[in-house]
Amino acid sequence: SFTPKKGRGGGLSTGERPFVDIIQDRRYWLIHLVTIPSLYLSGCIFVLSGFAFKVFGVPSLSQYFKADGSQLTLINDRFSALNELEDF
């Protein structure tokens, strides 16, 4: 059976660590100062390298327009966009 404990300030506690203690912990900031920028940077590299377009099967930004600029390419079905571009 669950028996709640007395927390700070006389209230009942669930036994979880208080949020203020987590925010003040140096390990929290060390982990987040490393992981958040690295996730952002890896996402930028994923998109800028063009690998994201290949993984999700969508045409890259340079494939939407013709080289001479005379005609805009119209994509009718987003699931077969690469096949439609090859037909032009």
Side-chain angles (χ1 to χ4, degrees):
S1 75
F2 174 71
T3 311
K5 299 177 182 177
K6 282 280 195 183
R8 293 183 189 169
L12 296 177
S13 173
T14 60
E16 297 175 357
R17 190 171 173 195
F19 186 66
V20 174
D21 289 349
I22 296 171
I23 294 296
Q24 292 175 348
D25 190 8
R26 288 186 180 174
R27 279 188 299 169
Y28 171 85
W29 289 108
L30 178 67
I31 290 168
H32 287 82
L33 284 174
V34 171
T35 56
I36 292 173
S38 64
L39 284 172
Y40 178 79
L41 187 62
S42 64
C44 289
I45 292 171
F46 182 63
V47 171
L48 292 175
S49 68
F51 191 61
F53 298 108
K54 292 178 185 176
V55 168
F56 295 110
V58 295
S60 64
L61 298 176
S62 62
Q63 291 177 323
Y64 277 110
F65 302 102
K66 296 286 183 188
D68 60 0
S70 63
Q71 180 185 4
L72 292 176
T73 307
L74 181 62
I75 305 295
N76 295 320
D77 183 19
R78 68 182 182 134
F79 296 110
S80 63
L82 290 176
N83 296 335
E84 288 186 28
L85 283 176
E86 290 172 1
D87 293 341
F88 285 105

